[in-house]
Amino acid sequence: MKEVSFLNPEFFWLFLLLPAAVAWHFWKRKQSATLKISSVRGFKAQKSLLAKLKPYLFVLRLLALSSLIIAMARPRKVDISSQTKSTKGVDIVMAIDVSGSMLAKDLKPNRMEALKKVAANFVDGRPNDRIGIVVYAAEAYTKTPVTSDKAIVQDAIRGIRYDNVLQDGTGIGMGLTTAVNRLKDSKAKSKVIILLTDGVNNSGFIEPETASQIAKEYGIKVYTVGIGTNGDAMSPYAYAPNGGFLFRMMPVEIDVNLLQTIAKNTGGKYFRANNNSKLESIYNEINKLETTEIQELKFYDYDEKFRPFVWIAGILLLLEFGLRHTVYRSFI
């Protein structure tokens, strides 16, 4: 009965009348006429089965009334299906620095892997928005265009790595411009770029300030994230003989003023992530700042269950009426 609800539960108050009906039945039986005789010895005999069952005729009537009360309460099962759609979505491009310094180990296991984990969780939390991925070092390219297919986005995030496809360096202006190019023709309510870097702009032929002005012209908001601890970090500085990297403590240099300027020019906000938990909290805050209006449509399918109770009540009443006027007519 957990799945059954009642449209008119107030009819259950009628069950309070059943004890009164029982009391009235027994009172009526006491009011029947009596005959006094000197001896009942000649009438002593074993009661037949029909005589023993006669009192249960009233039970049939009570059960019929109970079934009618339940039927009037309208039991029914409700199957609810919902459909959601984004009425005012957000288009988001994450511009991610993939220069060699992103392999620094001040975040665990390193900056790049920590970012990939948080970015993947961020994508999972935006099921109704379109998201794209841009990666940049000295140059930039689109890893995946803005799409609503989260599987493609997640696959692109998993595929982010330092692989020398791009010339090493940090071209913040290049990354930002490429991200703007992905969003400039978007019709979304809100267009957002999350620009992440761990260094200073030292490459590319487009100045970050110029790129931020272009973003502003297209109504694109830029959230900038500087990643890296304050002070020194264990960073790669050369290749090892086995093809891996050699690490040593190196100073962390982040152009905070530049990132703050980009965010301010476009109406965004600057964040600093100096550990894994801080990086995660930054993406959670951005997730709250950029909300999407969702319209939910619910469809109700009602399966009425009162009809069986009506049938039961009718059958019980007919049975009680038939027995009272046939088998038990001589007892009345």
Side-chain angles (χ1 to χ4, degrees), residues 83-276:
Q83 194 175 52
T84 61
K85 65 177 182 178
S86 173
T87 55
K88 291 185 179 179
V90 181
D91 279 0
I92 302 171
V93 170
M94 287 189 278
I96 299 173
D97 187 346
V98 293
S99 59
S101 58
M102 285 293 289
L103 299 177
K105 297 181 179 181
D106 47 350
L107 276 70
K108 304 300 179 185
N110 59 49
R111 295 173 182 175
M112 189 173 294
E113 292 302 318
L115 169 64
K116 287 165 62 175
K117 179 181 178 181
V118 173
N121 292 336
F122 177 80
V123 171
D124 285 339
R126 311 290 300 194
N128 301 289
D129 299 322
R130 301 196 307 163
I131 298 177
I133 304 293
V134 166
V135 295
Y136 70 94
E139 305 163 295
Y141 71 90
T142 302
K143 195 164 183 66
T144 182
V146 176
T147 177
S148 57
D149 191 333
K150 298 304 184 294
I152 292 177
V153 178
Q154 292 286 17
D155 187 61
I157 292 173
R158 285 192 294 269
I160 294 174
R161 59 178 56 89
Y162 177 76
D163 52 14
N164 281 330
V165 172
L166 298 175
Q167 181 183 346
D168 201 11
T170 304
I172 296 175
M174 300 295 291
L176 182 54
T177 302
T178 304
V180 170
N181 194 47
R182 294 292 93 197
L183 289 174
K184 62 184 180 65
D185 296 322
S186 170
K187 304 299 182 184
K189 174 209 65 164
S190 182
K191 295 176 284 189
V192 173
I193 293 173
I194 302 175
L195 177 75
L196 186 139
T197 184
D198 67 343
V200 297
N201 185 67
N202 55 25
S203 301
F205 54 85
I206 300 178
E207 292 298 323
E209 293 85 352
T210 302
S212 70
Q213 290 300 322
I214 297 173
K216 182 179 179 180
E217 289 295 323
Y218 284 106
I220 301 171
K221 189 185 300 182
V222 182
Y223 291 101
T224 56
V225 181
I227 182 170
T229 57
N230 297 316
D232 296 335
M234 189 67 71
S235 305
Y237 71 94
Y239 284 101
N242 62 0
F245 292 96
L246 297 174
F247 290 83
R248 69 183 179 190
M249 294 300 293
M250 298 177 64
V252 175
E253 297 182 58
I254 298 177
D255 194 339
V256 175
N257 291 332
L258 173 62
L259 297 180
Q260 289 176 335
T261 299
I262 293 173
K264 183 178 180 181
N265 286 345
T266 59
K269 191 174 180 180
Y270 166 72
F271 301 92
R272 179 66 182 271
N274 49 27
N275 55 53
N276 292 60

Side-chain angles (χ1 to χ4, degrees), residues 258-328:
L258 173 62
L259 297 180
Q260 289 176 335
T261 299
I262 293 173
K264 183 178 180 181
N265 286 345
T266 59
K269 191 174 180 180
Y270 166 72
F271 301 92
R272 179 66 182 271
N274 49 27
N275 55 53
N276 292 60
S277 59
K278 182 62 177 177
L279 179 62
E280 185 174 357
S281 67
I282 287 170
Y283 270 85
N284 289 337
E285 184 172 348
I286 295 174
N287 191 38
K288 293 176 182 178
L289 289 171
E290 295 298 328
T291 57
T292 302
E293 294 182 21
I294 304 299
Q295 182 183 51
E296 182 176 19
L297 302 176
K298 284 191 175 182
F299 301 92
Y300 295 83
D301 182 21
Y302 296 102
D303 182 11
E304 298 287 350
K305 298 295 184 182
F306 70 90
R307 294 179 183 86
F309 292 98
V310 175
W311 279 104
I312 291 172
I315 292 170
L316 290 174
L317 286 175
L318 285 175
L319 181 62
E320 190 261 352
F321 181 83
L323 290 174
R324 190 177 295 278
H325 290 83
T326 55
V327 177
Y328 294 106

